[in-house]
């Protein structure tokens, strides 16, 4: 992968942005999720809605192409952070893509 370089605002030193470059180009959009089933992906967007169902927290994440549903379970370390999320917060998250269980599909959502 190519390394991108840029000058810092305060000075002439050149910094490598390899990790930022990699992160930006790993990000996918909500309408591409189905293509990445079984893989780890990076999503970014706005919290559209948050639903706490006791043991599970559901977040609808909105980006420029649609919605993706995020599911947080209490046994995962991200659960406490998900509990703090509120509508219209901007977040970036990495996680695994799984298909909804049979009978629980939502025809109103692409993902």
């Amino acid at each position: 992968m190519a390394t991108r370089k840029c000058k810092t605002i305060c000075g002439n030193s050149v910094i490598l942005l390899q990790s930022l470059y990699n992160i930006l180009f790993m990000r996918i959009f909500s309408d591409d999720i189905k293509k990445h089933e079984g893989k780890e992906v990076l999503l970014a967007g706005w919290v559209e809605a948050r639903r706490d169902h006791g043991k599970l927290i559901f977040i609808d994440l909105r980006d420029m192409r649609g919605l993706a549903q995020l599911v947080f379970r209490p046994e995962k370390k991200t659960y406490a952070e998900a509990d703090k999320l509120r509508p219209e917060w901007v977040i970036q998250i990495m996680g695994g893509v799984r298909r909804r269980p049979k009978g629980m599909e939502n025809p109103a959502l692409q993902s």
Side-chain angles (χ1 to χ4, degrees):
M1 173 145 317
T3 300
R4 302 290 184 196
K5 297 179 182 180
C6 76
K7 293 194 177 187
T8 59
I9 292 173
C10 44
N12 293 329
S13 60
V14 176
I15 59 171
L16 296 177
L17 295 176
Q18 182 67 46
S19 60
L20 180 58
Y21 180 80
N22 288 343
I23 288 172
L24 289 174
F25 288 93
M26 287 182 357
R27 176 180 174 223
I28 66 163
F29 292 98
S30 58
D31 60 348
D32 290 330
I33 288 177
K34 288 181 181 181
K35 299 175 194 172
H36 297 278
E37 187 177 344
K39 298 177 187 171
E40 289 276 316
V41 298
L42 180 67
L43 293 173
W46 295 265
V47 175
E48 175 80 10
R50 179 188 172 282
R51 295 176 302 287
D52 189 337
H53 288 259
K55 292 186 178 183
L56 298 174
I57 295 174
F58 295 93
I59 301 291
D60 291 342
L61 186 68
R62 181 181 81 241
D63 65 17
M64 61 192 256
R65 295 189 188 169
L67 287 174
Q69 184 180 71
L70 311 178
V71 181
F72 297 90
R73 293 175 171 76
E75 65 272 8
K76 303 287 185 177
K77 60 184 176 182
T78 54
Y79 187 83
E81 294 300 314
D83 195 39
K84 299 174 190 175
L85 295 176
R86 296 295 176 257
E88 294 306 314
W89 284 18
V90 176
I91 64 169
Q92 180 174 344
I93 188 162
M94 184 168 275
V97 177
R98 285 199 245 164
R99 184 179 299 276
R100 291 174 184 256
K102 288 238 182 228
M104 298 184 84
E105 298 93 350
N106 183 346
L109 293 176
Q110 295 178 29
S111 60

